[in-house]
């Protein structure tokens, strides 16, 4: 059996040892010195002239006098004498004389904010680091603040994320229980990208800012433009739903060409517009009207419009535009009417469009 412990060199009570209390008390004394370690100084080469009982110091470099030959050791003033303890790698101490925390790296004591700690390979705050994140922190709040001018700074605060090549990534990953739900930054290019995911695998871009032009793209914005590919016959004085059966573009598949209507994928504000071109059947003496109908029943305010005749066949165009607040699943359809006589709404030149604005 060893005489002392491996870390703090605490003396062990041996079998059949006399005066066991002496050994026990010595171990307690060492614990009293080394646990919750705080020292008055760590940079003094000479002992103070009038130390108090229980004073602790870390002996400075090139020590002289009573401390000579004890550079870097922990020293305790007790019973009128200086006693010394050889530190081991990882020991930490709070230096009350200069309000600093130091650590022994195996050869010397260094400040925890020392430049020498810039080369550490991992740092875990409240957790053990993971292989893909050498710096890891487990906490409920974090604050970055600028160093104010009154404190010697310039009042600014800037965080920089640097990547090596355009094809690399630099950005923020937002997760739920370690499953990715959103990305923001430069991912795979120099364009700013904001993307979301329901499962951490499938991503959809909500916004892309082109690095070269600064132009903002919204690849998944609900938007469409459709037209009719045949002349829509309309009987006199009858509101007729225009067959918008051919989409020029249809992001998020919001235009149901089979039902001739827009279907709102999510709640929000939408802007709609339409252009209806008159094509004569029997007479050009008609009144041409247009409106947008919500859910097959309600006329959207601001969409009802009309122009009176005579019209020029295949040239007279009636336009309408308005905004609507819709719930998810609401439908909007384009209707036209010819008052006084029948006629057509012309193929290819009669269109309906819209997109989400808020």
């Amino acid at each position: 059996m060893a005489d002392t412990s491996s870390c703090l060199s605490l003396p062990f009570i041996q079998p059949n040892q006399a005066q066991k209390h002496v050994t026990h008390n010595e171990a307690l004394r060492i614990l009293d010195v080394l646990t919750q370690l705080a020292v008055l100084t760590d940079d003094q080469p000479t002992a103070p002239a009038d130390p108090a009982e229980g004073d602790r110091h870390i002996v400075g470099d090139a020590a002289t006098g009573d401390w000579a030959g004890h550079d870097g050791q922990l020293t305790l003033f007790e019973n009128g004498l200086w006693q010394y303890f050889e530190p081991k790698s990882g020991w930490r101490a709070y230096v009350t004389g200069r309000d600093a925390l130091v650590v022994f790296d195996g050869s010397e004591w260094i400040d925890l904010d020392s430049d020498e700690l810039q080369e550490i390979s991992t740092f875990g705050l409240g957790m053990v680091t993971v292989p893909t994140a050498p710096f890891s922190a487990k906490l409920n709040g974090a604050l970055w603040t600028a160093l104010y001018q009154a404190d010697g700074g310039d009042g600014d605060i800037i965080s920089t994320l640097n990547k090596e090549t355009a094809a690399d990534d630099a950005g923020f990953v937002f997760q739920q229980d370690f499953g990715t739900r959103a990305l923001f930054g430069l991912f795979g290019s120099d364009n700013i990208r904001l993307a979301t995911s329901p499962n951490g695998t499938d991503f959809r871009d909500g916004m892309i800012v082109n690095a070269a032009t600064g132009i903002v793209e919204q690849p998944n914005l609900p938007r469409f433009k459709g037209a009719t590919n045949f002349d829509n016959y309309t009987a006199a004085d009858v509101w007729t739903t225009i067959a918008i059966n051919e989409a020029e573009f249809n992001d998020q598949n919001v235009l149901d060409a089979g039902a001739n209507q827009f279907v709102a994928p999510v709640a929000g504000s939408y802007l709609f517009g339409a252009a209806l071109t008159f094509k004569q059947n029997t007479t050009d003496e008609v009144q041409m009207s247009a409106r947008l109908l919500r859910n097959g029943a309600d006329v959207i305010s601001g969409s009802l419009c009309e122009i009176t005749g005579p019209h020029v066949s295949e040239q007279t165009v009636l336009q309408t535009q308005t905004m609507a607040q819709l719930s998810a699943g609401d439908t909007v359809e384009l209707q036209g009417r010819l008052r006084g006589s029948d006629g057509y709404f012309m193929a290819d030149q009669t269109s309906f469009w819209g997109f989400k604005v808020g």
Side-chain angles (χ1 to χ4, degrees):
M1 178 178 178
D3 293 336
T4 60
S5 65
S6 58
C7 292
L8 297 181
S9 298
L10 304 178
F12 289 142
I13 297 174
Q14 301 298 317
N16 302 318
Q17 176 183 327
Q19 295 187 316
K20 293 180 172 62
H21 68 281
V22 175
T23 302
H24 177 68
N25 289 341
E26 175 65 10
L28 292 178
R29 187 185 68 82
I30 295 174
L31 283 174
D32 186 57
V33 175
L34 301 183
T35 58
Q36 299 294 330
L37 183 55
V39 297
L40 295 174
T41 66
D42 66 338
D43 55 3
Q44 302 301 315
T46 59
D50 188 21
E53 188 76 5
D55 281 357
R56 289 179 293 185
H57 299 262
I58 293 174
V59 178
D61 295 337
T64 61
D66 290 344
W67 286 359
H70 297 285
D71 295 14
Q73 294 182 8
L74 175 68
T75 183
L76 164 72
F77 189 75
E78 186 175 62
N79 298 322
L81 298 173
W82 289 105
Q83 301 181 47
Y84 303 95
F85 302 86
E86 191 71 38
K88 293 190 176 183
S89 179
W91 282 20
R92 286 170 290 180
Y94 180 71
V95 184
T96 60
R98 60 186 187 89
D99 193 24
L101 187 64
V102 296
V103 62
F104 189 70
D105 67 357
S107 60
E108 62 180 334
W109 293 91
I110 57 177
D111 286 2
L112 282 179
D113 60 355
S114 167
D115 289 342
E116 296 180 51
L117 287 181
Q118 299 302 318
E119 297 298 327
I120 60 176
S121 58
T122 63
F123 184 82
L125 180 60
M127 65 178 295
V128 176
T129 58
V130 297
T132 56
F135 171 74
S136 302
K138 189 175 186 180
L139 62 170
N140 290 119
L143 170 67
W144 293 86
T145 182
L147 185 62
Y148 292 5
Q149 293 185 17
D151 299 321
D154 59 13
D156 297 330
I157 182 167
I158 298 174
S159 293
T160 301
L161 301 179
N162 178 63
K163 62 178 184 174
E164 184 174 359
T165 70
D168 294 323
D169 299 333
F172 296 94
V173 177
F174 301 91
Q175 297 187 330
Q176 174 185 301
D177 197 24
F178 299 104
T180 300
R181 294 295 179 267
L183 306 173
F184 180 68
L186 311 178
F187 289 90
S189 74
D190 286 338
N191 300 328
I192 284 286
R193 177 186 176 196
L194 173 63
T196 60
S197 173
N199 52 23
T201 302
D202 303 311
F203 289 88
R204 306 194 78 174
D205 291 326
M207 180 186 74
I208 297 175
V209 183
N210 187 279
T213 65
I215 295 174
V216 178
E217 304 172 29
Q218 294 176 274
N220 286 290
L221 183 71
R223 55 190 166 190
F224 76 99
K225 181 185 178 185
T228 180
N229 62 6
F230 64 92
D231 295 333
N232 284 235
Y233 175 77
T234 303
D237 304 314
V238 176
W239 282 106
T240 301
T241 297
I242 307 299
I244 303 298
N245 59 350
E246 191 171 76
E248 293 183 24
F249 56 86
N250 190 15
D251 295 339
Q252 299 282 8
N253 294 315
V254 292
L255 177 64
D256 184 347
N260 305 312
Q261 59 188 201
F262 164 86
V263 182
V266 294
S269 300
Y270 293 82
L271 178 65
F272 295 100
L276 296 85
T277 301
F278 170 72
K279 186 173 182 178
Q280 181 177 326
N281 185 23
T282 56
T283 178
D284 61 6
E285 296 292 334
V286 298
Q287 293 177 323
M288 183 167 56
S289 307
R291 68 182 185 181
L292 297 175
L293 208 61
R294 175 170 34 207
N295 295 329
D298 302 321
V299 178
I300 297 177
S301 61
S303 68
L304 179 62
C305 57
E306 184 176 84
I307 56 176
T308 59
H311 304 316
V312 178
S313 181
E314 303 183 34
Q315 294 185 35
T316 300
V317 179
L318 173 63
Q319 295 184 327
T320 183
Q321 180 172 293
T322 192
M323 287 183 62
Q325 190 73 25
L326 303 179
S327 299
D330 282 353
T331 64
V332 177
E333 61 190 77
L334 171 64
Q335 291 191 331
R337 181 180 65 174
L338 298 175
R339 288 208 291 161
S341 185
D342 67 352
Y344 298 91
F345 290 105
M346 184 179 173
D348 302 324
Q349 300 305 312
T350 296
S351 61
F352 177 34
W353 54 266
F355 59 93
K356 189 177 186 297
V357 295

